Amino acid sequence: MSRKPAKPAAKSAPVKSSSKPVEVVGHAVERALDPLTSALKRAGLKRADKAASAFDDHAPAAPAAPPTGKVDKAAMPVSPLAVSFPRMKPIRGVTMATGRAGFYKHERDDLLVMNFPEGASCAGVFTRHGVGSAPVDWCKRHLEVTKGEGVRALVVNAGCANSFTGRPGADAVRRVASAVGKRFDCRQRDVMVASTGVIGVLLDDAKITARLPDLEHHLTEDGWGGAARAIMTTDTFPKGAYAEADIDGTKVRIGGICKGSGMIAPDMATMLAFVVTDAAITPGALQNLCNLYTRNTFNAVTVDGDRSTNDTLLLFATGQSGAAKISRAGDRRLADFRDKLERVLMNLAHQLVRDGEGATKFIKITVTGAESAASARKIARSVADSPLVKTAFAGEDANWGRIVMAVGKADEPVDRDSMSVKFGPHWAAQDGLIAKSYDEAKMSAYMKKQELEVSIDVGVGRASSTVWTCDLTKRYVEINGDYRS
């Protein structure tokens, strides 16, 4: 392990994402980038659909998942929508190690440490939750200070969210960052921290710092599977995604992991996600990419409509691939990289929905004919988050009346007499009435599928939006009723 003194942080554009709504930042970023980015944005939905099919490459998930609490003691089954963990090559420049800090009573790894080389860049997008958490506050503040330059380490624990813990929680984070900084010869502000678990419980930082010496001697460049398992809470399978891209003739790698199963809603979806590339991209450009592609990925999925206090997406660039250094997100040399990065983020976001607590259906909801993109998103989320809609899906009932109800309660412009609803290829309603071709038998057969699509045209404009969600089952109530007990 390197023992060279850390270099002072370089100056660059301030990180913007932590202080403004993601959607507002997204619009600002699009205006700031060159015309190529606008063209890419117009093709966004096509890329999203293409990315959704990436799951076809996954094998069925493993038959068991690590225990994670009372519900797991009852042999919590792996989600029927699960996908297997992908084959991920090492990302040059990052090493990682996992261990048991003891935040759970049973045997399982619950601690992850990643080490990055000098000169690495970092960008982040975080929850807009009004309460927030000590780890989120730490990352937002220090990314602002360092401008994303010189991040050297990441520490993640599962089992304790360290949220709503006041000054003691903030002090615990500082002590963790300080201890890790001493191990990796860097400043404490160069250490990113993330936590997940029960809200309102103070982090016992001594459990983390006591494990650092052992983790330091077990750092490996090929530990993605273990890393994904270590950050799980009520997840039933580890989540990862990997892609390779070309930057001006040089092959670069992109890999990431995430966790999340319940308390999943946009801004951001409940989750932690950590994505690393060995491309050389400046912090400002990395932040723009992070802002831009979060919008149609992590901010376009929902399980239960509840936003987390700890949501964090961190994107790291080690610069170890040998590719030319890129300083603009709109640089034409990044065309393939942008596409692959969005696919990785979309893949991870979809896996959150596939592991929705108690989920049995993976559902794509697309709204077209809306007055604006923002209006389309709001309508799609209203449908995706409706308990009545979600329970109908759980019962395999194509209850299009509930869809229409959820559209109307979004309080967005719609034309009732022009509205249409379609389940997969089957029309349920057209022009404000039940469709003449409606066939109950065909509809019922379609609803038995594990992956479903609902298309809604509200008849007032040309804007569209897509949201991915899951059904709401009795198992969701059981899991959350037993979460702390």
Side-chain angles (χ1 to χ4, degrees):
M1 182 173 301
S2 173
R3 294 290 177 182
K4 296 180 182 179
K7 296 180 180 179
K11 299 292 184 180
S12 63
V15 176
K16 299 294 186 182
S17 63
S18 61
S19 59
K20 295 181 180 180
V22 172
E23 290 165 358
V24 173
V25 173
H27 288 309
V29 171
E30 290 171 41
R31 288 194 298 269
L33 301 182
D34 63 19
L36 175 62
T37 305
S38 297
L40 287 167
K41 198 63 181 173
R42 287 193 295 271
L45 287 177
K46 292 182 180 179
R47 286 201 307 272
D49 285 337
K50 187 190 302 180
S53 65
F55 290 112
D56 296 339
D57 297 330
H58 286 280
T68 55
K70 181 176 179 182
V71 290
D72 295 294
K73 292 177 182 177
M76 187 165 155
V78 173
S79 168
L81 305 171
V83 294
S84 63
F85 196 80
R87 291 183 292 274
M88 295 178 64
K89 296 180 182 179
I91 308 295
R92 287 159 286 208
V94 60
T95 56
M96 63 201 76
T98 64
R100 185 189 177 198
F103 291 105
Y104 292 91
K105 294 180 181 179
H106 47 276
E107 283 285 342
R108 61 153 287 182
D109 282 358
D110 54 9
L111 181 62
L112 165 66
V113 172
M114 287 187 177
N115 183 210
F116 304 100
E118 292 185 10
S121 299
C122 180
V125 177
F126 306 90
T127 182
R128 291 173 51 213
H129 197 286
V131 173
S133 67
V136 166
D137 290 346
W138 176 273
C139 291
K140 289 166 66 175
R141 182 168 65 252
H142 290 291
L143 278 180
E144 191 76 37
V145 169
T146 66
K147 309 300 185 292
E149 290 275 9
V151 170
R152 296 291 307 282
L154 167 69
V155 185
V156 189
N157 75 274
C160 175
N162 197 20
S163 175
F164 205 66
T165 51
R167 182 59 182 269
D171 289 341
V173 170
R174 177 182 51 76
R175 289 191 293 268
V176 168
S178 178
V180 173
K182 290 176 182 177
R183 287 282 167 187
F184 294 158
D185 291 320
C186 66
R187 299 161 298 188
Q188 63 182 29
R189 72 184 190 183
D190 297 329
V191 178
M192 296 290 102
V193 180
S195 298
T196 181
V198 178
I199 295 171
V201 178
L202 177 63
L203 181 72
D204 184 352
D205 55 280
K207 291 183 176 181
I208 296 177
T209 56
R211 296 291 293 144
L212 293 178
D214 183 57
L215 266 61
E216 180 182 357
H217 291 97
H218 289 86
L219 290 168
T220 175
E221 62 177 9
D222 193 19
W224 287 105
R229 288 187 290 272
I231 64 175
M232 291 166 59
T233 51
T234 58
D235 305 64
T236 69
F237 65 91
K239 303 167 181 65
Y242 175 83
E244 294 182 355
D246 182 274
I247 296 180
D248 202 24
T250 300
K251 188 72 68 178
V252 302
R253 298 171 180 174
I254 309 168
I257 57 174
C258 71
K259 62 80 51 184
S261 186
M263 206 187 292
I264 300 286
D267 299 323
M268 292 173 54
T270 295
M271 53 126 248
L272 301 179
F274 311 107
V275 179
V276 186
T277 178
D278 52 17
I281 302 176
T282 62
L286 203 65
Q287 187 65 53
N288 285 341
L289 293 171
C290 195
N291 290 338
L292 187 61
Y293 292 125
T294 299
R295 189 180 183 199
N296 288 331
T297 58
F298 289 115
N299 279 344
V301 297
T302 177
V303 167
D304 49 22
D306 283 333
R307 188 191 304 167
S308 168
T309 59
N310 289 56
D311 288 348
T312 297
L313 163 63
L314 290 173
L315 176 58
F316 303 90
T318 69
Q320 300 295 299
S321 65
K325 191 165 188 175
I326 306 295
S327 59
R328 290 191 310 112
D331 193 308
R332 293 180 182 275
R333 292 173 294 178
L334 278 186
D336 187 47
F337 179 87
R338 284 189 296 262
D339 183 59
K340 299 299 174 50
L341 174 63
E342 186 178 29
R343 291 190 192 188
V344 166
L345 298 183
M346 183 71 83
N347 191 321
L348 292 173
H350 283 189
Q351 290 184 60
L352 297 177
V353 175
R354 288 177 173 271
D355 202 16
E357 291 170 339
T360 65
K361 305 288 186 183
F362 179 73
I363 307 156
K364 176 183 178 182
I365 296 175
T366 299
V367 172
T368 58
E371 186 176 74
S372 66
S375 179
R377 280 194 299 275
K378 187 176 179 182
I379 294 169
R381 290 179 185 179
S382 179
V383 174
D385 283 334
S386 167
L388 287 176
V389 170
K390 293 164 78 69
T391 50
F393 279 114
E396 299 182 339
D397 177 13
N399 192 333
W400 58 272
R402 291 185 178 181
I403 301 287
V404 172
M405 173 278 300
V407 169
K409 76 183 180 73
D411 293 328
E412 290 294 320
V414 299
D415 183 343
R416 182 192 63 189
D417 296 331
S418 298
M419 194 183 305
S420 65
V421 179
K422 188 165 65 170
F423 289 77
H426 308 296
W427 289 104
Q430 289 180 290
D431 298 324
L433 298 168
I434 187 169
K436 293 180 180 179
S437 61
Y438 183 86
D439 187 315
E440 186 69 35
K442 289 182 178 179
M443 199 70 81
S444 295
Y446 177 76
M447 294 300 290
K448 294 186 183 302
K449 295 177 177 288
Q450 284 190 333
E451 300 189 16
L452 303 170
E453 292 190 26
V454 177
S455 303
I456 307 158
D457 192 292
V458 296
V460 295
R462 301 179 64 183
S464 62
S465 183
T466 298
V467 170
W468 289 266
T469 190
C470 60
D471 55 346
L472 180 61
T473 68
K474 295 177 181 178
R475 188 60 177 156
Y476 179 89
V477 178
E478 293 170 358
I479 292 169
N480 285 284
D482 283 345
Y483 186 68
R484 281 206 322 142
S485 56

